[in-house]
Amino acid sequence: KAGVTQTPRYLIKTRGQQVTLSCSPISGHRSVSWYQQTPGQGLQFLFEYFSETQRNKGNFPGRFSGRQFSNSRSEMNVSTLELGDSALYLCASSLVGVNTEAFFGQGTRLTVV
Amino acid sequence: GESVGLHLPTLSVQEGDNSIINCAYSNSASDYFIWYKQESGKGPQFIIDIRSNMDKRQGQRVTVLLNKTVKHLSLQIAATQPGDSAVYFCAENTAGGTSYGKLTFGQGTILTVHP
C-alpha cells in the first residue's frame, strides 16, 4: 500500500512569488492535514480537509490556503512568499473517524530566497 | 528580531539500554495521543498511540504511559538500537470530536543511541 506522497520534494522560490504544494493521501484516507515544520517553531498545524471542506485551520495568515479534490488529493498554496515561509511542509492523511492515526508524507522542503 | 531555534531536550543511551522519553501535554481535554519518530530528511513516522481511557499501551519494543492527573506522557523503548536514533515527538488531538487530523505537537526529544 503506497504511503502519503508529496510533490515536489524540494522547491526554491523568490520572495513575493507564490507556490503550490501537492499531497496524495493513502488510498482510502479521506482526511488530509497540513503542517509546517521549522527549527524555530517546531511542527505547527496549518489546516485540515475532509470531503473537500476545510474543517479546521491553524493560526496562519490568509496567504496560506488549501483545497481538497473529490479524490481526496490536496494542495496547499502560499502567496506572496516571505523569507520566514522557508520550512518543511508536511501532509498527513487519516481515515475518517475520531482518533485515528495520522500518517505523514516525506514533506516538501521550501526555501524562499 | 533574530529567530532562535528550539532547544530540544536530548537523551543519549548505550545500545541495549532502555530509553524513556517524556512529554508534558497542554490540554486536559485532549483524548488521543500519538508518539512519532522523525529521522533526518523524513516525515514523522507513527510509533504508537493511546486513548485517554487507557493508562498504558504496549507495542513492539515500545510502551506508552499516560498520566492524566499530571498531563504527562512517556514513551519507553526497550533494548534501544542505533536505528532508534531520531527525534521523537508526542502529539495530542486537541480538537476532540471535531477533527480527524488536527494534532498539537510537543517540541521533540533527540535520542542518540551509541553502539
Side-chain angles (χ1 to χ4, degrees), chain B residues 61-110:
Chain B
R61 284 203 305 120
V62 294
T63 300
V64 55
L65 299 178
L66 175 62
N67 185 329
K68 295 181 286 294
T69 303
V70 295
K71 294 190 289 186
H72 183 267
L73 201 62
S74 69
L75 176 70
Q76 300 177 0
I77 304 174
T80 316
Q81 302 167 2
D84 294 327
S85 295
V87 180
Y88 288 80
F89 294 94
C90 64
E92 58 183 303
N93 183 335
T94 52
T98 67
S99 169
Y100 304 132
K102 179 184 178 182
L103 299 172
T104 298
F105 282 82
Q107 63 178 0
T109 296
I110 301 172

